C-alpha cells in the first residue's frame, strides 16, 4: 500500500478503497467508499490514530501500512500505545469526545457551495441548513443518547427548548461554568430564537470571548457559511451554553 496523504487532486485507487473499508469497519469513516483520499477519509485516519494510542506528534492524516495492519488485526499496538489509549478514554466528558470528532472535520465544506449537500446532512437524511445536524453527528459518534440520527436534532430552537426543560439529558449552564465540549447556541438577532449551534472549544471563563467548532459557518456568514470551522465568538451572542448529560 502507498502512504496515503491529502493532495490536490486527491489520491485515488484500490488502496484508498481498502483504507476506507478498514476505517469504516471500525466506525471511523461513515461516508461512501469512493476510492478518493479526501478530507473526510483523512479525518477518519486521525481519529483512528488517536484511539489506537499513537503519540500526539504522530497523529496526522497519513494512512500507511502499519495503520492498516492495526485496523485489520494483523498487528498489535505496543504496550505504551495501549496504555496511552486507555488513559485517553478514562473518565472523559462525552462533550469532549464530540469536540474531538468535530475538530477532525474542520475545513470540510458543502459541495457545491450553497447546496447544503455535505456528509452531515446526507447522514441525517435531511437537506437544509446543517449546523445542528453537524452537532448531532458529532455527539452520536461520541455515543451520546441525547442526540439521535434523523430526529434529534436538526433545529436549534428544539435543542434550547429541551435544555430549558431539562429534557433528554440536556441542561443550561452559566457562561462562567461552560466547559470544553458543551453545546453552544447563538442568537445573532437577540430575539430569543437561536439561529446557530456549535461545540465549545475554549470556554469563556471570565472573558467576553470563546472559541467553538461549528458546521455550516464561515467568517462572512456565521449561520449558513457552508463549512466546518473553528470560530471565535462573543458571549453576548450566546443564547445558551448547554451541558450534555448522556
Amino acid at each position: 500500500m502507498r502512504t496515503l496523504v491529502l493532495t490536490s487532486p486527491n489520491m485515488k485507487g484500490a488502496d484508498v478503497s481498502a483504507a476506507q473499508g478498514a476505517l469504516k469497519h471500525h466506525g471511523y469513516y461513515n461516508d461512501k467508499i469512493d476510492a478518493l483520499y479526501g478530507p473526510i477519509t483523512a479525518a477518519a485516519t486521525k481519529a483512528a490514530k488517536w484511539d489506537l494510542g499513537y503519540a500526539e506528534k504522530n497523529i496526522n492524516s497519513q494512512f500507511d501500512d502499519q495503520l492498516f495492519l492495526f485496523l485489520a488485526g494483523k498487528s498489535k499496538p505496543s504496550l505504551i500505545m495501549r496504555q496511552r489509549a486507555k488513559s485517553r478514554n478514562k473518565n472523559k466528558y462525552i462533550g469532549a469526545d464530540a469536540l474531538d470528532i468535530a475538530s477532525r472535520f474542520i475545513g470540510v465544506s458543502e459541495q457545491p457551495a450553497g447546496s447544503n449537500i455535505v456528509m452531515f446532512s446526507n447522514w441525517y437524511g435531511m437537506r437544509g441548513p446543517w449546523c445542528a445536524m453537524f452537532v448531532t453527528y458529532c455527539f452520536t459518534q461520541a455515543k451520546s443518547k441525547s442526540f439521535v440520527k434523523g430526529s434529534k436534532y436538526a433545529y436549534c430552537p428544539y435543542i434550547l427548548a429541551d435544555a430549558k426543560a431539562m429534557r433528554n439529558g440536556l441542561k443550561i449552564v452559566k457562561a462562567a461554568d461552560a466547559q470544553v465540549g458543551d453545546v453552544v447556541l447563538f442568537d445573532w438577532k437577540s430575539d430569543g430564537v437561536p439561529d446557530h449551534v456549535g461545540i465549545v472549544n475554549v470556554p469563556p471563563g471570565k472573558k467576553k470571548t470563546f472559541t467553538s467548532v461549528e458546521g455550516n459557518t464561515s467568517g462572512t456568514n456565521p449561520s449558513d457559511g457552508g463549512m466546518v470551522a473553528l470560530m471565535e465568538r462573543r458571549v453576548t451572542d450566546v443564547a445558551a451554553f448547554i451541558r450534555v448529560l448522556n
Side-chain angles (χ1 to χ4, degrees), residues 23 28 44-55 58-64 67 71 81 88:
L23 291 164
Y28 296 111
T45 294
K46 291 173 70 175
K49 288 184 174 182
W50 174 268
D51 285 351
L52 284 166
Y54 278 65
N58 296 325
I59 297 175
N60 53 43
S61 58
Q62 296 182 359
F63 191 106
D64 57 15
L67 179 57
L71 293 173
M81 288 178 67
R88 285 172 179 168

Side-chain angles (χ1 to χ4, degrees), residues 99-181:
L99 176 66
D100 286 343
I101 293 165
S103 298
R104 297 167 194 157
F105 294 101
I106 290 174
V108 171
S109 60
E110 58 190 43
Q111 297 294 333
S115 66
N116 287 317
I117 298 174
V118 69
M119 64 169 288
F120 313 107
S121 58
N122 290 340
W123 167 85
Y124 193 87
M126 181 184 298
R127 184 71 49 77
W130 49 275
C131 61
M133 293 183 242
F134 171 69
V135 169
T136 296
Y137 175 88
C138 295
F139 272 93
T140 57
Q141 296 302 303
K143 310 302 183 186
S144 169
K145 296 178 182 178
S146 296
F147 294 80
V148 181
K149 176 183 178 181
S151 61
K152 293 185 177 69
Y153 297 89
Y155 187 49
C156 294
Y158 291 168
I159 302 175
L160 181 59
D162 279 355
K164 282 182 174 180
M166 292 190 68
R167 289 192 298 259
N168 199 34
L170 304 179
K171 76 169 186 176
I172 293 175
V173 296
K174 296 178 181 178
D177 296 328
Q179 65 185 44
V180 172

Side-chain angles (χ1 to χ4, degrees), residues 34-45:
D34 58 6
L36 293 173
Y37 199 80
I40 296 173
T41 312
T45 294

